[in-house]
């Protein structure tokens, strides 16, 4: 095990100091784009104004013959675009692929000072983070990168889920994790063909009721267990957790429900793969005005965060004060970026 006193030391001479505190940023949606497509790159300035983070995708969904073009397209668009406060991330290819090394070497060399974070797919254990951490330090040092490039892990293999706690504490570069339900389903041998979301057969059959012909069936959330494990591992290590992809663009209601379950369980955002999901994610991952108004009342009723008071018949104490603070802090971050939301929250 690495000695605690060495955890925050740079891994290469000349690399930037690892961060002790992760930047506090609003990252409700990580919006994926295919950088090999010229028409997508042409709209990047507009897109960057609508989302919290843009992610140049180099991995799955990019055709094999377009892998190099995607990397080059990402470098080109990052160079030419002013992203303002919008985060710039990329999902590189997996560690065992023929493209990953050049993804890192070329992107850091060319646009390393504009890149906030690298998403590493198919993370199996802490060793995957250690490798990328060391490699990044070397490449950052070589190219005089000023701030450390963060790493984001996708939880999408059975082994990754088994090792989720060790992954979460592997490197000070790690900013959090996303669920990868499509690869995870395959890796686990789940009998589904979907990208996230529920399944009509996964549920609980209610007991028979006399006089009622059909028994009630309640569909359950296939991802509840994994999201909860991911959230605990991340938050216990000062990281954040994101839901991942929702592939059925024709079902915005199911998308919203899946996103909301993740939000309520502790996730701070999600991936968006289609423009229609941007609005859904904004709605879901910005706290509800009614919740914000109640949370503000809790904070006001308990100015020092201690003791107990009753509000609308509900008991409030130190713990509900802390929950209220989570909601109000998030609302303030949202409001700082979005004047419409600020008005809704009454800030
Ligand atoms: C995402 O990469 C997934 O596999 O769901
Ligand atoms: Mg995947």
């Amino acid at each position: 095990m690495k000695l605690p006193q060495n955890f925050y030391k740079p891994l290469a001479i000349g690399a930037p100091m690892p961060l002790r505190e992760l930047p506090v940023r609003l990252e409700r949606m990580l919006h994926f784009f295919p950088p090999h497509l010229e028409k997508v790159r042409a709209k990047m300035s507009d897109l960057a104004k609508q989302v919290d983070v843009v992610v140049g995708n180099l991995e799955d969904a990019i055709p094999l013959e377009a892998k190099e073009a995607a990397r080059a397209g990402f470098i080109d668009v990052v160079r030419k675009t002013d992203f303002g406060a919008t985060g710039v991330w990329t999902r590189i290819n997996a560690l065992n692929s023929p493209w990953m090394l050049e993804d890192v070497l070329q992107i850091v060399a060319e646009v390393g000072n504009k890149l906030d974070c690298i998403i590493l797919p198919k993370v199996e254990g802490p060793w995957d983070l250690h490798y990328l951490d060391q490699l990044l330090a070397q490449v950052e040092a070589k190219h005089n990168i000023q701030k450390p490039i963060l790493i984001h892990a996708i939880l999408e293999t059975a082994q990754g889920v088994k090792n989720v706690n060790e992954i979460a504490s592997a490197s000070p570069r790690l900013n959090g994790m996303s669920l990868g339900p499509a690869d995870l389903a395959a890796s686990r041998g789940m009998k589904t063909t979907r990208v996230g979301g529920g399944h009509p057969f996964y549920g609980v059959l209610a007991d028979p009721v006399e006089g009622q012909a059909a028994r009630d069936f309640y569909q359950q959330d296939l991802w509840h267990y994994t999201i909860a494990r991911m959230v605990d591992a991340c938050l216990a290590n000062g990281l954040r957790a994101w839901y991942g992809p929702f592939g059925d663009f024709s079902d915005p209601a199911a998308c919203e429900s899946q996103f909301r379950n993740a939000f309520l369980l502790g996730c701070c955002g999600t991936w968006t793969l289609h423009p229609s999901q941007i609005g859904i994610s904004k709605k879901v991952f910005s706290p509800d005005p009614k919740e914000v108004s109640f949370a503000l009342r809790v904070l006001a009723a308990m100015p020092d965060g201690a003791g107990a008071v009753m509000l609308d018949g509900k008991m409030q104490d130190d713990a509900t004060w802390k929950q209220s603070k989570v909601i109000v802090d998030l609302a303030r971050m949202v409001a700082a970026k979005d004047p419409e939301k600020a008005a809704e929250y009454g800030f």
Side-chain angles (χ1 to χ4, degrees), residues 59-60 91 121-122 154-156 179-184 245 271:
E59 200 224 11
D60 292 356
R91 176 169 77 166
K122 305 188 176 68
I154 310 181
L155 198 59
E156 55 181 346
L179 173 74
D183 271 302
L184 184 55
W271 298 8

Side-chain angles (χ1 to χ4, degrees), residues 226-289:
T226 318
I227 293 176
R229 282 203 66 186
M230 175 176 74
V231 166
D232 280 347
C234 286
L235 277 288
N237 285 281
L239 315 177
R240 289 184 300 152
W242 280 257
Y243 179 73
F246 188 91
D248 187 352
F249 304 151
S250 71
D251 193 350
C255 176
E256 181 169 334
S257 147
Q258 178 78 82
F259 285 1
R260 185 162 289 110
N261 284 355
F263 178 65
L264 291 172
L265 274 179
C267 291
C268 67
T270 183
W271 298 8
T272 50
L273 304 181
H274 187 272
S276 65
Q277 296 181 338
I278 296 174
I280 301 175
S281 63
K282 244 180 223 174
K283 176 171 158 201
V284 171
F285 291 94
S286 308
D288 181 72

